[in-house]
Amino acid sequence: MATKLEYIWLDGYKPTQSLRSKTKIVKSFSGNVEELDNWSFDGSSTEQAPGGSSDCILKPVFACPDPQRKDAYLVMCEVLDSKGEPHESNGRALIQDDDNDFWFGFEQEYFLWDPQTNKPLGFPAGGYPGPQGPYYCSVGANNAYGREIVEEHLDVCLEAGLNVEGINAEVAAGQWEFQIFAKGAKEAGDQIWVARYLLERIGEKYGVSINWHCKPLGQLDWNGSGMHANFSNTLLRTANSEEKFKAVCEAFRPAVAECIAVYGADNDQRLTGKHETASIHDFSYGVSDRGASIRIPLYAVDHNWSGYLEDRRPNSAADPYKVAAVIIKTVKSANV
Ligand code: ADP
Ligand code: MN
Ligand code: MN
Ligand code: MN
């Protein structure tokens, strides 16, 4: 049966890459990504190649059913250059975790955005809704805006087989979150990108755009958007040791600049020390501390210092592949 494959990739724009995709029709497809052929695209239209030598290669790495189209799949791809080497925009290729020992749970925050008013849903034209307080985990037309879109997104993600663990309304009006967990950094990144893609496409239907910027309302008293990265490896999951946890946290201290470089554009606007963030100039960690760079969840302490850590610094527009790559590298450098 003719099957639609939506090949999805990340363009080469800096500092924030965007999703691109195009449809390939094949005679049949079993669902196993390893059966899929590479494809190509015009890299000169995506800031990934010069016009005189424009072909870039799409290498399928993750496939799942596309619940919104008949007889269709979504296919996440890595971008290779014309020689078949990972393109410099390819963050997935930087992940050094061949045995999938690293598990990641990303908390993706975002704003539903009205292109007419250029404000979040729930913001009256030319003004502001009431101050923050009632919106977080709210219900009711006074406080929760865009639930129809959020629910539809949750359903299609689950139908596609993505491992969404939950959703919630966030602290600002029109701001929401979903969480995705995977045992494997590449898989976690693939699933976040496919979930972002589905959300963007649902937004088209409603005339609502998705604002991934980490501080879309500037320095007013509104929370920014993060993409907290919860992570663990065998070391952390079986530590039984406060010392080991602290050694892993300390490994992040000399890596601040390297981490911040890939934790998303304009993060200086978000990491101010206010609104449940740490200052971008500091490094700190602490049990249950939502004002720290890295939070040690109470869960880990309660499990005799075994479990996971939460890096609160990555922002909503960060590339989860690059975030995972630098976290893995840093944890592996820990003095334990
Ligand atoms: P909060 O909003 O309190 O920071 P959430 O419940 O939104 O917490 O997110 C917690 C995340 O931690 C979830 O995505 C979950 O999958 C992830 N997580 C839990 N255990 C582990 C683990 N062992 N390794 C990696 N991530 C984990
Ligand atoms: Mn959360
Ligand atoms: Mn949140
Ligand atoms: Mn969190």
Side-chain angles (χ1 to χ4, degrees), residues 107 177 228 230 290 295 310 312:
E107 302 168 54
E177 169 178 316
H228 298 164
N230 300 274
R290 283 167 199 272
R295 176 173 67 102
E310 178 190 47
R312 300 178 59 78

Side-chain angles (χ1 to χ4, degrees), residues 281-310:
H281 305 295
D282 300 335
F283 175 78
S284 59
Y285 55 88
V287 173
S288 219
D289 186 352
R290 283 167 199 272
S293 314
I294 293 182
R295 176 173 67 102
I296 302 170
L298 206 50
Y299 173 96
V301 182
D302 285 347
H303 289 75
N304 193 33
W305 290 92
S306 299
Y308 64 100
L309 288 169
E310 178 190 47

